[in-house]
Amino acid sequence: MNKRVLFSITAVLVVALPLAYGAATQTLSNDPVHHEQDGDEPSKDDREAAGILQFAADQGDAGAQVDLGIVYAQGRGVPNDDREAARLFKLAAGQGNPVAQYNLGVFYDEGRGGLQQDDREAARLFKLAADQGYASAQVNLGHFYSEGAGGLPNDRREAARLYRLAAEQGDATAQYNLGLYYDQGRGGLQKDDREAVRLYKLAADQGYASAQVNLASFYDEGLGGLQKNEREAARLVELAADQGDATAQYNLGLFYSVGHGGLPKDEREAARLYKLAADQGDASAQLSLGNFYDDGLGGLQKDAREAARLFKLAAEQGNPAAQFNLGLFYRQGHGGLQQDDREAARLYRLAADQGSVSAQVSLGHFYAEGIGGLLKDDGEAARLFKLAAEQGNPTAQQNLGLFYEEGRGGLEKNEQEAARLYKLANEQRSLLEKMSRLAMQSARLAIEIASRF
């Protein structure tokens, strides 16, 4: 049986906040933002370019004012000075320059350049630039509508319209966001995997990491009209991971942990990638790295305290598996945590409410026994066991069978139903044991083959 690799898919809309250059002058290139380090000497070319821009800006040239503002924001050829950048963007924005309106909107959105953070003013400026067809402003304004920010109503249909306008101009962020809308059926758009793939491809071809991650998931599953191609999925994930994308780093770590997509099984590399993603706050990576520390995998020394710390970080972000694991640590007094059934119950409830089968079983047991400060409640225990049993959990099936056999939890005594559930539980356990044996045999075979070379 092929093991299915679960992906974490990027599902957060991206705002195109980086500063943009004006079109009136071509003195400076669209290089990434660069702040000079202490002791760095600006190059002669940078100083000369800044001087030329200063002359044009003083004459009221809006494009020059925009580009000189960028120079001050980056500290290229001049000292870094966000206040001067803001002043110059204001001058150019006052002349109706859409790039300046966008950049000034960014400054208000971030509270930069001595400006007080002001979402409403940012939205007003993004709208001015968007109405002139400026793609980055259309993306940001679309994001504001999608979140109901900046005093704007929550209007995903308007967000979709704006993303489409920017996507048609080739903006990678807009292509990704619109692809996500088709992927999820948002903004009044009918769910359309093929259109999502088309848009993700356009953005991925421009090196957009989040699009590469999502496109990889489509290749891995063979969705959106794509032929299943695990190697292409691995290639795309690697491209995004090389850009520092946390979701991609986690997914690539998952590939290495099981030997997927043509990659060798390499738990050390998986651990390295999980750590990179976990350090950026990725909850799935924190969970996986915590599991590695708890089991001493990937070349890591067994460290239950570090596992507990990582589970806590992921649990605080709402990750249900981490909530369950942390609850289990409190239940056992593991990882340097003081034994605390009440905290375990609280965490099990959080995870169970998100559909965690293990948490539903454990919380059901707490209700059945009156543990963790919970009043004994067989009815609630039966409800939780039923939820988990329907998802194929053998422990829940066994417990629910016992409830039917004894007529507990408001269930009518039913020995036939109890026998059926016991049979299901035994079959499920046998299947799990068989899969475990096959996995062990595969591991031994891999070692045996490797030893021949």
Side-chain angles (χ1 to χ4, degrees), residues 107-310:
F107 268 42
Y108 272 110
D109 189 51
E110 297 179 349
R112 282 178 66 180
L115 302 175
Q116 188 172 351
Q117 201 279 337
D118 188 340
D119 283 352
R120 289 178 180 267
E121 182 61 9
R124 185 187 74 82
L125 288 158
F126 290 152
K127 188 171 191 314
L128 288 174
D131 287 347
Q132 295 187 67
Y134 194 71
S136 294
Q138 290 167 339
V139 172
N140 284 12
L141 187 61
H143 179 75
F144 273 37
Y145 273 110
S146 75
E147 299 295 321
L152 299 176
N154 187 298
D155 187 344
R156 288 183 173 169
R157 288 179 182 269
E158 179 62 8
R161 185 187 74 83
L162 287 158
Y163 292 150
R164 189 182 303 281
L165 289 173
E168 287 169 354
Q169 297 183 64
D171 185 279
T173 303
Q175 290 164 343
Y176 163 75
N177 284 356
L178 188 59
L180 191 63
Y181 266 39
Y182 274 109
D183 191 356
Q184 298 178 342
R186 292 166 68 179
L189 302 176
Q190 188 171 354
K191 181 174 168 61
D192 186 339
D193 285 349
R194 289 177 181 267
E195 182 61 8
V197 162
R198 185 186 74 82
L199 288 157
Y200 286 155
K201 269 188 176 178
L202 289 172
D205 287 346
Q206 296 187 63
Y208 200 80
S210 295
Q212 290 167 338
V213 170
N214 287 9
L215 185 60
S217 74
F218 276 69
Y219 271 111
D220 195 62
E221 298 291 336
L223 300 175
L226 298 176
Q227 188 171 352
K228 188 178 174 74
N229 189 336
E230 293 170 359
R231 289 179 181 269
E232 179 63 7
R235 185 188 73 84
L236 286 161
V237 169
E238 199 156 13
L239 287 174
D242 288 344
Q243 296 183 63
D245 184 273
T247 304
Q249 290 165 342
Y250 164 71
N251 284 352
L252 189 60
L254 191 61
F255 273 37
Y256 274 109
S257 73
V258 298
H260 188 70
L263 300 175
K265 182 177 169 68
D266 186 341
E267 288 182 349
R268 288 180 181 267
E269 181 63 6
R272 185 187 74 82
L273 288 157
Y274 288 156
K275 189 171 191 315
L276 288 174
D279 288 346
Q280 294 188 66
D282 186 275
S284 296
Q286 290 166 343
L287 170 67
S288 295
L289 187 60
N291 286 329
F292 269 39
Y293 271 111
D294 193 45
D295 293 330
L297 300 175
L300 301 175
Q301 189 171 352
K302 201 165 184 177
D303 187 340
R305 288 178 182 269
E306 180 62 7
R309 185 188 73 83
L310 288 159

Side-chain angles (χ1 to χ4, degrees), residues 36 42 46-47 50 54 68 71-81:
E36 299 201 10
D46 283 343
R47 288 196 299 269
Q54 186 70 63
L68 186 59
V71 167
Y72 275 106
Q74 294 178 334
R76 296 183 62 182
V78 296
N80 180 271
D81 189 342

